[in-house]
Structures are given as C-alpha cells and as structure tokens.
Amino acid sequence: MSNTPTSDLTLYFAPRTRSFAALWLLEELGAPYQLESFDFATGRHKQADYLALNPMGKVPLVMDGETPVPETGAMAIYLADRFGDAGLAPAPTANTRAAYLRWMFFASAIMEPAFAQKLFGWEASAATVAWGSFEQMMDVLADGLAEGPWLLGDTFSAADVVVGNNLVFGQMIGIIPTDGPVGEYLARLKAREAFQRAEAIELREGERFPVAAE
Ligand SMILES: N[C@@H](CCC(=O)N[C@@H](CS)C(=O)NCC(=O)O)C(=O)O
C-alpha cells in the first residue's frame, strides 16, 4: 500500500536564498506543490500573517495545508517522512536512520555557524563553540564522504539535499572548493535531474525579481 498521502503543499520562496533547499527537495520527492515566490524587497516575509506562520520571518517556509513547517532541517525531515515512497528518508528502525539524522543536524548546527565564522572572520575557541571550526567541519564532512557517493553510502537521502544546499551556497561565496571529496560530491549533486529542475525554476524566478541595482 502506498504511504504517499494526498497533500496541499505551498512553498514560500525567494530567489537566491536558502529556500532553494526546499525547492530542490520537493523536486526530488516528486511532491505536488504551489510556489509562492516573492522578492524580499516587498517585505512579504515580515508581514503579520507570515510571522504568525514563521516567527523568524525567513524563508523557506512550507505549508502543509494549515500546518507551517519552517526551518530547513525540520522541513526536510518532515517532508521526506511524509512522502516516504520517494525513499529519501530511512525508516525509524533502519540502521542508517541515526546517520541520516546526524547529517541533518550537522547542516544546521555545525555547517551554518562554521560558514558564518569563516565568512566574517570570527575568532572562537574550537573546543568551546558547538561547531568546532570551519576546518574541522570540512574534514569531518570529507571523511563522511569517503565511502560515497552519498552521505549514507549508496543511498541518496534528504540529508544530501540539506547538506548539499549549504555547499551550493558555500561555493557561491568562495569558501567551498570545486575539487577534493567535498567539491566532487557537490558536482554529483548538481548533476541530479531534480537539482537541475530546481535550478531552472530558481533562474526563472530570479529573472522575475532581479537583484536591485546599487
Ligand atoms: N534557520 C533558517 C534560516 C533561513 C534563512 O536564513 N533564510 C534567509 C534567506 S537565506 C532569510 O529568509 N532572510 C530574510 C530575513 O531574515 O529578513 C532555516 O534553516 O530555514
């Protein structure tokens, strides 16, 4: 019996932002969704009705009917379980479930602040801050890819989308190499059909809302 439910998904999306992770994941899942695309300049994400759904006033935000699912990691875990037939989430009893959850949290709890530290040049003791250091994060990620081709070995999962989306951003800002295990992993991710569909949508929406001239 299929465990793919009928759904009423809406993605609140702004081009050139972290909302690409949700777009890419929805394309990987093959889940039907409506795209509510807007430009940050409109302030849509700071309006009261939006803040009631995501008090952080950020994208991505996925609505599942009346249920808001903000925060990229939570959204990814939620959707991959909800659309379980797509095979992007190991079952709770699978022996890869712990590694899957570990990489999901690695993306938001370790990669995100490590990127910010690198970008803004913060001085911090690796033993004290939760994310260690940018270099440690990169080494741990490279080690995690030693078996490959994906984070869970042969099985592609929603964790690859969440970690991969961070890497896309990191490469854009010049802190992620194009070679070595991490760069090669990112090239494999970018070659996926769902990634390329999402990229085409992102480009189309980006043309609707071009970057404002200085
Ligand atoms: N913790 C959030 C971060 C999302 C985030 O930082 N989104 C940025 C765009 S990349 C945003 O919406 N910024 C608009 C603002 O804060 O005004 C998540 O993982 O979804």
Side-chain angles (χ1 to χ4, degrees):
M1 194 176 86
S2 164
N3 67 348
T4 299
T6 55
S7 64
D8 173 22
L9 299 177
T10 303
L11 167 59
Y12 287 88
F13 174 91
R16 300 173 289 273
T17 69
R18 288 172 176 83
S19 46
F20 184 78
L23 181 64
W24 176 15
L25 180 62
L26 286 164
E27 290 294 327
E28 291 280 359
L29 290 169
Y33 64 95
Q34 291 187 317
L35 193 63
E36 278 289 330
S37 189
F38 62 93
D39 186 354
F40 277 163
T42 64
R44 176 72 190 94
H45 54 315
K46 303 299 175 189
Q47 288 167 358
D49 64 328
Y50 190 94
L51 292 174
L53 303 171
N54 182 3
M56 288 299 290
K58 289 182 179 287
V59 291
L61 167 65
V62 168
M63 292 297 297
D64 183 3
E66 300 293 305
T67 306
V69 195
E71 291 303 326
T72 302
M75 174 277 303
I77 293 170
Y78 178 93
L79 288 181
D81 284 345
R82 180 117 162 70
F83 295 89
D85 275 4
L88 295 192
T93 51
N95 59 9
T96 49
R97 181 74 178 188
Y100 169 74
L101 293 175
R102 177 261 181 131
W103 288 117
M104 283 290 185
F105 282 79
F106 187 85
S108 57
I110 298 178
M111 292 180 85
E112 279 272 5
F115 277 25
Q117 178 173 29
K118 178 86 173 166
L119 191 59
F120 299 116
W122 301 333
E123 294 287 332
S125 153
T128 307
V129 296
W131 62 91
S133 66
F134 180 82
E135 290 69 28
Q136 187 186 3
M137 178 278 292
M138 287 296 283
D139 287 347
V140 169
L141 181 56
D143 284 352
L145 290 166
E147 196 183 320
W150 312 117
L151 291 168
L152 302 183
D154 284 336
T155 307
F156 179 82
S157 76
D160 290 297
V161 173
V162 175
V163 168
N165 186 64
N166 282 355
L167 294 175
V168 170
F169 174 70
Q171 208 164 68
M172 220 164 59
I173 61 173
I175 60 173
I176 297 297
T178 51
D179 58 359
V182 175
E184 287 162 16
Y185 167 63
L186 183 48
R188 284 193 292 281
L189 290 169
K190 287 181 171 178
R192 293 182 67 82
E193 284 181 15
F195 181 97
Q196 290 174 7
R197 282 197 302 276
E199 197 173 43
I201 296 168
E202 158 92 26
L203 277 173
R204 182 193 73 204
E205 297 303 311
E207 279 166 16
R208 283 179 62 206
F209 306 120
V211 180
E214 291 291 312

